[in-house]
Coordinates of all heavy atoms in Angstrom, one line a residue:
M1 N -24.3 -83.0 6.2 CA -23.7 -81.9 5.5 C -22.3 -82.2 5.2 O -21.6 -82.6 6.1 CB -23.9 -80.6 6.3 CG -23.4 -79.4 5.7 SD -23.6 -77.9 6.7 CE -25.1 -78.1 7.5
R2 N -21.8 -81.9 4.0 CA -20.5 -82.2 3.6 C -19.7 -80.9 3.5 O -20.2 -79.9 3.1 CB -20.5 -83.1 2.4 CG -21.1 -84.4 2.6 CD -21.4 -85.2 1.3 NE -20.3 -85.2 0.4 CZ -20.4 -85.8 -0.8 NH1 -21.5 -86.3 -1.2 NH2 -19.3 -85.8 -1.6
L3 N -18.4 -81.0 3.6 CA -17.5 -79.9 3.5 C -17.6 -79.3 2.1 O -17.6 -78.0 1.9 CB -16.1 -80.3 3.8 CG -15.1 -79.1 3.8 CD1 -15.4 -78.1 4.9 CD2 -13.7 -79.7 4.0
E4 N -17.8 -80.1 1.1 CA -17.9 -79.6 -0.3 C -19.1 -78.7 -0.4 O -19.1 -77.7 -1.2 CB -17.8 -80.7 -1.3 CG -19.0 -81.6 -1.3 CD -18.9 -82.7 -2.3 OE1 -17.9 -82.8 -3.0 OE2 -19.8 -83.5 -2.4
H5 N -20.2 -79.0 0.3 CA -21.4 -78.2 0.2 C -21.2 -76.9 0.8 O -21.7 -75.9 0.3 CB -22.6 -78.9 0.9 CG -23.0 -80.2 0.2 ND1 -23.6 -81.2 0.8 CD2 -22.9 -80.5 -1.1 CE1 -23.8 -82.2 -0.1 NE2 -23.4 -81.8 -1.3
L6 N -20.4 -76.8 1.8 CA -20.0 -75.5 2.4 C -19.2 -74.7 1.4 O -19.4 -73.5 1.3 CB -19.3 -75.7 3.7 CG -20.1 -76.4 4.8 CD1 -19.2 -76.5 6.1 CD2 -21.4 -75.7 5.2
K7 N -18.3 -75.3 0.7 CA -17.5 -74.7 -0.3 C -18.4 -74.2 -1.4 O -18.2 -73.1 -2.0 CB -16.4 -75.6 -0.9 CG -15.4 -75.9 0.2 CD -14.3 -76.8 -0.4 CE -13.2 -77.1 0.6 NZ -12.2 -78.0 0.1
Y8 N -19.4 -74.9 -1.8 CA -20.4 -74.5 -2.8 C -21.1 -73.2 -2.4 O -21.3 -72.3 -3.1 CB -21.5 -75.6 -3.1 CG -21.0 -76.9 -3.7 CD1 -21.9 -78.0 -3.7 CD2 -19.7 -77.1 -4.1 CE1 -21.5 -79.2 -4.3 CE2 -19.3 -78.3 -4.7 CZ -20.2 -79.4 -4.7 OH -19.9 -80.6 -5.3
L9 N -21.6 -73.3 -1.1 CA -22.3 -72.1 -0.6 C -21.4 -70.9 -0.6 O -21.9 -69.8 -1.0 CB -22.6 -72.5 0.9 CG -23.4 -71.5 1.7 CD1 -24.8 -71.3 1.1 CD2 -23.5 -72.0 3.1
I10 N -20.2 -71.0 -0.2 CA -19.3 -69.8 -0.2 C -19.1 -69.3 -1.7 O -19.1 -68.1 -1.9 CB -17.9 -70.2 0.4 CG1 -18.2 -70.5 1.9 CG2 -16.9 -69.1 0.2 CD1 -17.0 -71.2 2.6
E11 N -18.9 -70.2 -2.6 CA -18.6 -69.8 -4.0 C -19.9 -69.1 -4.6 O -19.7 -68.1 -5.3 CB -18.3 -71.0 -4.9 CG -17.7 -70.7 -6.2 CD -16.4 -69.9 -6.2 OE1 -15.6 -70.2 -5.3 OE2 -16.3 -69.0 -7.0
V12 N -21.1 -69.6 -4.3 CA -22.3 -68.9 -4.8 C -22.4 -67.5 -4.2 O -22.7 -66.6 -4.9 CB -23.5 -69.8 -4.5 CG1 -24.8 -69.0 -4.8 CG2 -23.5 -71.1 -5.3
A13 N -22.1 -67.4 -2.9 CA -22.1 -66.1 -2.2 C -21.1 -65.2 -2.9 O -21.4 -64.0 -3.0 CB -21.9 -66.3 -0.7
N14 N -19.9 -65.7 -3.2 CA -18.9 -64.8 -3.8 C -19.2 -64.4 -5.2 O -18.9 -63.3 -5.6 CB -17.5 -65.5 -3.8 CG -17.0 -65.6 -2.4 OD1 -17.3 -64.8 -1.5 ND2 -16.1 -66.6 -2.2
C15 N -19.8 -65.3 -6.0 CA -20.2 -65.0 -7.4 C -21.5 -64.3 -7.6 O -21.7 -63.7 -8.6 CB -20.2 -66.3 -8.2 SG -18.6 -67.1 -8.4
H16 N -22.4 -64.3 -6.6 CA -23.7 -63.8 -6.7 C -24.5 -64.4 -7.9 O -25.4 -63.7 -8.4 CB -23.7 -62.2 -6.8 CG -22.9 -61.6 -5.7 ND1 -23.5 -61.4 -4.5 CD2 -21.7 -61.1 -5.7 CE1 -22.6 -60.8 -3.7 NE2 -21.5 -60.6 -4.4
S17 N -24.1 -65.6 -8.3 CA -24.7 -66.3 -9.4 C -24.5 -67.8 -9.3 O -23.4 -68.2 -9.1 CB -24.1 -65.7 -10.7 OG -24.4 -66.5 -11.8
M18 N -25.6 -68.5 -9.5 CA -25.5 -70.0 -9.5 C -24.7 -70.4 -10.7 O -23.9 -71.3 -10.6 CB -26.9 -70.6 -9.5 CG -27.7 -70.5 -8.2 SD -27.1 -71.6 -6.9 CE -28.3 -71.2 -5.7
S19 N -25.0 -69.9 -11.9 CA -24.3 -70.3 -13.1 C -22.8 -70.0 -13.1 O -22.0 -70.9 -13.5 CB -25.0 -69.8 -14.3 OG -25.0 -68.4 -14.3
K20 N -22.5 -68.9 -12.6 CA -21.0 -68.5 -12.5 C -20.3 -69.4 -11.5 O -19.2 -69.9 -11.7 CB -20.8 -67.1 -12.2 CG -21.2 -66.1 -13.3 CD -21.0 -64.7 -12.9 CE -21.5 -63.7 -14.0 NZ -21.4 -62.3 -13.5
A21 N -21.0 -69.6 -10.4 CA -20.4 -70.5 -9.3 C -20.2 -71.9 -9.9 O -19.2 -72.6 -9.6 CB -21.2 -70.4 -8.1
A22 N -21.3 -72.4 -10.5 CA -21.2 -73.7 -11.1 C -20.0 -73.9 -12.1 O -19.3 -74.9 -12.0 CB -22.5 -74.1 -11.8
A23 N -19.8 -72.9 -12.9 CA -18.7 -73.0 -13.9 C -17.4 -73.0 -13.1 O -16.5 -73.8 -13.5 CB -18.8 -71.8 -14.8
R24 N -17.3 -72.2 -12.1 CA -16.0 -72.2 -11.3 C -15.8 -73.5 -10.5 O -14.6 -73.8 -10.3 CB -16.0 -71.0 -10.4 CG -15.9 -69.6 -11.2 CD -15.8 -68.5 -10.2 NE -14.6 -68.5 -9.5 CZ -14.1 -67.5 -8.8 NH1 -14.8 -66.4 -8.7 NH2 -13.0 -67.7 -8.1
L25 N -16.9 -74.1 -10.1 CA -16.8 -75.4 -9.4 C -16.8 -76.6 -10.3 O -16.7 -77.7 -9.8 CB -17.9 -75.5 -8.4 CG -17.9 -74.4 -7.3 CD1 -19.3 -74.4 -6.6 CD2 -16.9 -74.8 -6.3
Y26 N -16.9 -76.4 -11.6 CA -16.9 -77.5 -12.6 C -18.1 -78.4 -12.3 O -18.0 -79.6 -12.3 CB -15.6 -78.3 -12.6 CG -14.4 -77.4 -12.9 CD1 -13.5 -77.0 -11.8 CD2 -14.1 -77.0 -14.2 CE1 -12.5 -76.2 -12.1 CE2 -13.1 -76.1 -14.4 CZ -12.2 -75.8 -13.4 OH -11.2 -74.9 -13.7
L27 N -19.2 -77.8 -12.0 CA -20.5 -78.5 -11.8 C -21.5 -78.0 -12.8 O -21.4 -76.9 -13.3 CB -21.0 -78.2 -10.4 CG -20.2 -78.7 -9.2 CD1 -20.8 -78.1 -7.9 CD2 -20.3 -80.2 -9.1
S28 N -22.6 -78.8 -13.0 CA -23.7 -78.3 -13.8 C -24.5 -77.3 -12.9 O -24.5 -77.5 -11.7 CB -24.6 -79.4 -14.3 OG -25.3 -80.0 -13.2
Q29 N -25.1 -76.4 -13.5 CA -25.9 -75.4 -12.7 C -27.1 -76.1 -12.0 O -27.3 -75.8 -10.8 CB -26.4 -74.3 -13.6 CG -27.1 -73.1 -12.9 CD -28.6 -73.4 -12.7 OE1 -29.2 -74.1 -13.5 NE2 -29.1 -72.9 -11.6
P30 N -27.8 -77.0 -12.6 CA -28.8 -77.7 -11.9 C -28.3 -78.5 -10.6 O -28.9 -78.5 -9.6 CB -29.5 -78.7 -12.9 CG -29.2 -78.0 -14.2 CD -27.8 -77.4 -14.0
S31 N -27.1 -79.1 -10.8 CA -26.6 -79.9 -9.7 C -26.2 -79.0 -8.5 O -26.5 -79.3 -7.3 CB -25.3 -80.6 -10.1 OG -25.6 -81.6 -11.0
L32 N -25.7 -77.8 -8.8 CA -25.3 -76.8 -7.8 C -26.6 -76.3 -7.1 O -26.7 -76.2 -5.9 CB -24.5 -75.7 -8.3 CG -24.1 -74.6 -7.3 CD1 -23.3 -75.2 -6.2 CD2 -23.3 -73.5 -8.0
S33 N -27.6 -75.9 -7.9 CA -28.9 -75.4 -7.4 C -29.5 -76.5 -6.5 O -30.0 -76.1 -5.4 CB -29.8 -75.1 -8.5 OG -29.3 -74.0 -9.2
N34 N -29.5 -77.7 -6.9 CA -30.1 -78.8 -6.0 C -29.3 -78.9 -4.7 O -29.9 -79.1 -3.7 CB -30.1 -80.1 -6.8 CG -31.1 -80.2 -7.8 OD1 -32.2 -79.5 -7.8 ND2 -30.9 -81.0 -8.8
A35 N -28.0 -78.8 -4.8 CA -27.2 -78.9 -3.5 C -27.5 -77.8 -2.6 O -27.7 -78.0 -1.4 CB -25.7 -79.0 -3.9
I36 N -27.6 -76.6 -3.1 CA -28.0 -75.4 -2.3 C -29.4 -75.6 -1.7 O -29.6 -75.3 -0.5 CB -27.8 -74.1 -3.1 CG1 -26.3 -73.9 -3.5 CG2 -28.3 -72.9 -2.3 CD1 -25.3 -73.8 -2.4
S37 N -30.3 -76.0 -2.5 CA -31.7 -76.2 -2.1 C -31.8 -77.2 -1.0 O -32.5 -77.0 0.0 CB -32.6 -76.5 -3.2 OG -32.7 -75.5 -4.1
N38 N -31.0 -78.3 -1.2 CA -31.0 -79.4 -0.1 C -30.4 -78.8 1.2 O -30.9 -79.2 2.3 CB -30.2 -80.6 -0.6 CG -30.9 -81.3 -1.7 OD1 -32.1 -81.3 -1.8 ND2 -30.2 -82.1 -2.5
L39 N -29.4 -78.0 1.1 CA -28.8 -77.4 2.2 C -29.7 -76.5 3.0 O -29.9 -76.5 4.2 CB -27.5 -76.7 1.8 CG -26.6 -76.1 3.0 CD1 -26.2 -77.3 3.9 CD2 -25.4 -75.4 2.4
E40 N -30.5 -75.7 2.2 CA -31.5 -74.8 2.8 C -32.6 -75.7 3.5 O -33.0 -75.3 4.6 CB -32.1 -74.0 1.7 CG -31.2 -72.9 1.2 CD -31.8 -72.0 0.1 OE1 -32.4 -72.6 -0.8 OE2 -31.5 -70.8 0.1
R41 N -33.0 -76.8 2.9 CA -34.0 -77.6 3.6 C -33.4 -78.2 4.8 O -34.1 -78.2 5.9 CB -34.4 -78.7 2.6 CG -35.5 -78.3 1.7 CD -36.2 -79.5 1.0 NE -35.3 -80.2 0.1 CZ -35.0 -79.8 -1.1 NH1 -35.6 -78.8 -1.6 NH2 -34.2 -80.5 -1.9
K42 N -32.2 -78.7 4.8 CA -31.6 -79.3 6.0 C -31.5 -78.2 7.1 O -31.7 -78.5 8.3 CB -30.2 -79.8 5.7 CG -30.3 -81.1 5.0 CD -28.9 -81.7 4.7 CE -29.0 -82.9 3.8 NZ -27.6 -83.4 3.5
L43 N -31.1 -77.0 6.8 CA -30.9 -75.9 7.8 C -32.2 -75.2 8.1 O -32.3 -74.4 9.0 CB -29.9 -74.9 7.3 CG -28.5 -75.4 7.1 CD1 -27.6 -74.4 6.5 CD2 -27.9 -75.9 8.4
K44 N -33.3 -75.6 7.4 CA -34.6 -75.0 7.6 C -34.6 -73.5 7.5 O -35.3 -72.8 8.3 CB -35.2 -75.5 8.9 CG -35.4 -77.0 8.9 CD -36.0 -77.5 10.2 CE -36.1 -79.0 10.1 NZ -36.4 -79.6 11.4
C45 N -33.9 -72.9 6.6 CA -33.9 -71.5 6.3 C -33.5 -71.2 4.9 O -32.8 -72.0 4.3 CB -33.1 -70.8 7.3 SG -31.3 -71.0 7.1
Q46 N -33.9 -70.0 4.4 CA -33.5 -69.6 3.1 C -32.2 -68.9 3.2 O -32.1 -67.9 4.0 CB -34.6 -68.7 2.5 CG -34.3 -68.4 1.1 CD -35.5 -67.6 0.4 OE1 -36.5 -67.3 1.1 NE2 -35.3 -67.2 -0.8
I47 N -31.2 -69.3 2.4 CA -29.9 -68.7 2.5 C -29.8 -67.6 1.4 O -29.2 -66.6 1.6 CB -28.8 -69.8 2.3 CG1 -28.9 -70.8 3.4 CG2 -27.4 -69.2 2.2 CD1 -28.1 -72.1 3.2
F48 N -30.4 -67.9 0.2 CA -30.3 -67.0 -0.9 C -31.7 -66.5 -1.3 O -32.6 -67.3 -1.4 CB -29.6 -67.6 -2.1 CG -28.2 -67.9 -1.9 CD1 -27.8 -69.2 -1.6 CD2 -27.2 -66.9 -1.9 CE1 -26.4 -69.5 -1.4 CE2 -25.9 -67.2 -1.7 CZ -25.5 -68.5 -1.4
E49 N -31.7 -65.2 -1.7 CA -32.9 -64.7 -2.4 C -32.5 -64.8 -3.9 O -31.5 -64.4 -4.4 CB -33.1 -63.2 -2.1 CG -33.6 -62.9 -0.7 CD -35.1 -63.2 -0.5 OE1 -35.8 -63.3 -1.5 OE2 -35.4 -63.5 0.6
R50 N -33.4 -65.5 -4.7 CA -33.1 -65.8 -6.1 C -33.9 -64.8 -6.9 O -35.0 -64.5 -6.6 CB -33.4 -67.2 -6.4 CG -32.5 -68.2 -5.7 CD -33.2 -69.6 -5.6 NE -32.4 -70.6 -5.0 CZ -32.2 -70.8 -3.8 NH1 -32.7 -70.0 -2.9 NH2 -31.4 -71.8 -3.4
S51 N -33.3 -64.3 -8.0 CA -33.9 -63.5 -9.0 C -33.3 -63.7 -10.3 O -32.3 -64.5 -10.5 CB -33.8 -62.0 -8.6 OG -32.5 -61.5 -8.8
T52 N -33.9 -63.1 -11.4 CA -33.3 -63.3 -12.7 C -31.9 -62.6 -12.8 O -31.2 -62.9 -13.7 CB -34.3 -62.6 -13.8 OG1 -34.5 -61.3 -13.4 CG2 -35.6 -63.4 -13.8
R53 N -31.6 -61.7 -11.9 CA -30.3 -61.1 -11.9 C -29.2 -61.8 -11.1 O -28.1 -61.4 -11.1 CB -30.4 -59.7 -11.3 CG -31.3 -58.8 -12.1 CD -31.4 -57.4 -11.4 NE -32.4 -56.6 -12.1 CZ -32.6 -55.3 -11.8 NH1 -31.8 -54.7 -11.0 NH2 -33.5 -54.7 -12.4
G54 N -29.6 -62.9 -10.5 CA -28.6 -63.7 -9.7 C -29.2 -64.0 -8.3 O -30.4 -64.1 -8.1
V55 N -28.3 -64.1 -7.4 CA -28.7 -64.4 -6.0 C -28.1 -63.4 -5.0 O -27.0 -62.9 -5.3 CB -28.3 -65.9 -5.6 CG1 -29.0 -66.9 -6.4 CG2 -26.8 -66.1 -5.7
A56 N -28.7 -63.2 -3.9 CA -28.2 -62.4 -2.8 C -28.5 -63.1 -1.5 O -29.5 -63.8 -1.4 CB -29.0 -61.0 -2.9
L57 N -27.6 -62.9 -0.6 CA -27.7 -63.5 0.7 C -28.8 -62.9 1.5 O -29.0 -61.7 1.5 CB -26.4 -63.4 1.5 CG -25.3 -64.3 1.0 CD1 -24.0 -63.8 1.7 CD2 -25.5 -65.7 1.3
T58 N -29.6 -63.8 2.2 CA -30.6 -63.3 3.2 C -29.8 -63.0 4.5 O -28.6 -63.2 4.5 CB -31.6 -64.4 3.5 OG1 -30.9 -65.5 4.1 CG2 -32.4 -64.8 2.3
E59 N -30.4 -62.4 5.4 CA -29.7 -62.1 6.7 C -29.2 -63.4 7.3 O -28.1 -63.5 7.8 CB -30.7 -61.4 7.7 CG -30.9 -59.9 7.3 CD -29.6 -59.1 7.1 OE1 -28.8 -59.2 8.0 OE2 -29.5 -58.4 6.1
D60 N -30.1 -64.5 7.3 CA -29.7 -65.8 7.8 C -28.5 -66.3 7.0 O -27.6 -66.9 7.5 CB -30.8 -66.8 7.8 CG -31.9 -66.5 8.8 OD1 -31.6 -65.9 9.9 OD2 -33.0 -67.0 8.6
G61 N -28.6 -66.1 5.7 CA -27.5 -66.5 4.8 C -26.2 -65.9 5.1 O -25.2 -66.6 5.0
K62 N -26.2 -64.6 5.4 CA -24.9 -64.0 5.8 C -24.3 -64.6 7.0 O -23.1 -64.9 7.0 CB -25.2 -62.5 6.1 CG -25.6 -61.7 4.9 CD -25.9 -60.3 5.2 CE -26.4 -59.5 4.0 NZ -26.9 -58.1 4.4
E63 N -25.1 -65.0 8.0 CA -24.5 -65.7 9.2 C -24.0 -67.1 8.8 O -23.0 -67.5 9.3 CB -25.6 -65.8 10.3 CG -25.9 -64.4 10.9 CD -27.0 -64.6 11.9 OE1 -27.0 -65.5 12.7 OE2 -27.9 -63.7 12.0
I64 N -24.8 -67.8 8.0 CA -24.4 -69.1 7.6 C -23.1 -69.2 6.8 O -22.3 -70.0 7.0 CB -25.6 -69.8 6.9 CG1 -26.7 -70.1 7.9 CG2 -25.2 -71.1 6.2 CD1 -28.1 -70.4 7.3
V65 N -23.0 -68.2 5.9 CA -21.8 -68.2 5.1 C -20.6 -67.8 5.9 O -19.5 -68.4 5.7 CB -22.0 -67.2 3.9 CG1 -20.6 -66.9 3.2 CG2 -22.9 -67.8 2.9
A66 N -20.7 -66.9 6.9 CA -19.6 -66.6 7.8 C -19.2 -67.8 8.6 O -18.0 -68.1 8.7 CB -20.0 -65.5 8.7
I67 N -20.1 -68.6 9.0 CA -19.8 -69.8 9.8 C -19.2 -70.8 8.8 O -18.2 -71.5 9.2 CB -21.1 -70.4 10.4 CG1 -21.6 -69.5 11.5 CG2 -20.8 -71.8 11.0 CD1 -23.0 -69.8 12.1
A68 N -19.7 -71.0 7.6 CA -19.1 -71.9 6.6 C -17.7 -71.6 6.3 O -16.8 -72.4 6.2 CB -20.0 -71.9 5.4
Q69 N -17.4 -70.3 6.2 CA -16.1 -69.8 5.9 C -15.1 -70.2 7.0 O -14.0 -70.7 6.7 CB -16.0 -68.3 5.6 CG -16.6 -67.9 4.3 CD -16.7 -66.5 4.1 OE1 -17.0 -65.7 5.0 NE2 -16.6 -66.0 2.8
T70 N -15.5 -70.0 8.2 CA -14.7 -70.4 9.4 C -14.4 -71.9 9.4 O -13.3 -72.3 9.6 CB -15.4 -70.0 10.7 OG1 -15.6 -68.6 10.7 CG2 -14.6 -70.4 11.9
I71 N -15.5 -72.7 9.1 CA -15.3 -74.1 9.1 C -14.3 -74.6 8.0 O -13.4 -75.4 8.3 CB -16.7 -74.8 8.9 CG1 -17.5 -74.6 10.2 CG2 -16.5 -76.3 8.6 CD1 -19.0 -75.0 10.0
V72 N -14.5 -74.0 6.8 CA -13.6 -74.4 5.7 C -12.2 -74.0 6.0 O -11.2 -74.8 5.8 CB -14.1 -73.8 4.4 CG1 -13.1 -73.9 3.3 CG2 -15.4 -74.4 4.0
E73 N -12.0 -72.8 6.5 CA -10.6 -72.3 6.9 C -10.0 -73.2 7.9 O -8.8 -73.6 7.8 CB -10.7 -70.9 7.4 CG -11.0 -69.9 6.3 CD -11.3 -68.5 6.9 OE1 -11.2 -68.3 8.1 OE2 -11.6 -67.6 6.1
Q74 N -10.8 -73.6 8.9 CA -10.3 -74.5 10.0 C -9.9 -75.9 9.4 O -8.9 -76.5 9.8 CB -11.3 -74.6 11.1 CG -11.5 -73.4 11.9 CD -10.2 -72.9 12.6 OE1 -9.5 -73.6 13.2 NE2 -9.9 -71.6 12.4
M75 N -10.7 -76.4 8.5 CA -10.4 -77.7 7.9 C -9.2 -77.6 7.1 O -8.4 -78.6 7.1 CB -11.7 -78.2 7.1 CG -12.8 -78.6 7.9 SD -12.5 -79.9 9.1 CE -12.2 -81.3 8.0
E76 N -9.0 -76.5 6.4 CA -7.8 -76.4 5.6 C -6.5 -76.3 6.5 O -5.5 -76.8 6.1 CB -7.9 -75.2 4.7 CG -8.9 -75.4 3.6 CD -9.1 -74.2 2.7 OE1 -8.6 -73.1 3.0 OE2 -9.9 -74.3 1.7
K77 N -6.7 -75.8 7.7 CA -5.5 -75.7 8.6 C -5.1 -77.1 9.1 O -4.0 -77.4 9.4 CB -5.9 -74.8 9.8 CG -5.8 -73.4 9.5 CD -6.1 -72.5 10.7 CE -6.1 -71.1 10.4 NZ -6.4 -70.3 11.6
L78 N -6.1 -78.0 9.2 CA -5.9 -79.3 9.7 C -5.0 -80.1 8.6 O -4.2 -80.9 8.9 CB -7.2 -80.1 9.9 CG -7.9 -79.8 11.2 CD1 -9.2 -80.6 11.2 CD2 -7.1 -80.2 12.4

């Protein structure tokens, strides 16, 4: 898992949309979706509920994003 993937995760959670997050991260939407799906596979849990209206965090996702935010903040302090 790379730090940039945690940043992707946080951005998707903040935007509630893969396409909006992709635009803000200067990535293609399929690339971002693949990165998030790979992260979910590695963590063996679903982080986002996907729908035509966007994405919403699952209960596990809420915990994972909180941890990701802490990690990113700590890395930025270094």
Side-chain angles (χ1 to χ4, degrees):
M1 182 179 327
R2 295 168 49 185
L3 186 61
E4 68 184 0
H5 293 150
L6 299 180
K7 291 179 180 181
Y8 296 170
L9 180 66
I10 294 165
E11 193 63 38
V12 173
N14 289 337
C15 291
H16 304 283
S17 165
M18 290 282 184
S19 58
K20 288 179 186 175
R24 291 182 66 169
L25 293 163
Y26 303 103
L27 296 171
S28 69
Q29 186 273 329
S31 295
L32 179 59
S33 291
N34 285 337
I36 297 296
S37 293
N38 289 338
L39 188 57
E40 288 176 321
R41 275 194 295 279
K42 285 180 185 177
L43 296 175
K44 297 180 182 170
C45 70
Q46 186 175 357
I47 299 170
F48 294 103
E49 290 286 336
R50 293 154 175 85
S51 73
T52 56
R53 296 183 190 187
V55 296
L57 286 168
T58 62
E59 289 303 313
D60 287 337
K62 290 176 186 175
E63 291 180 40
I64 291 167
V65 168
I67 293 167
Q69 287 173 326
T70 301
I71 291 168
V72 169
E73 288 169 6
Q74 293 298 314
M75 289 301 294
E76 288 174 355
K77 285 182 182 179
L78 282 175

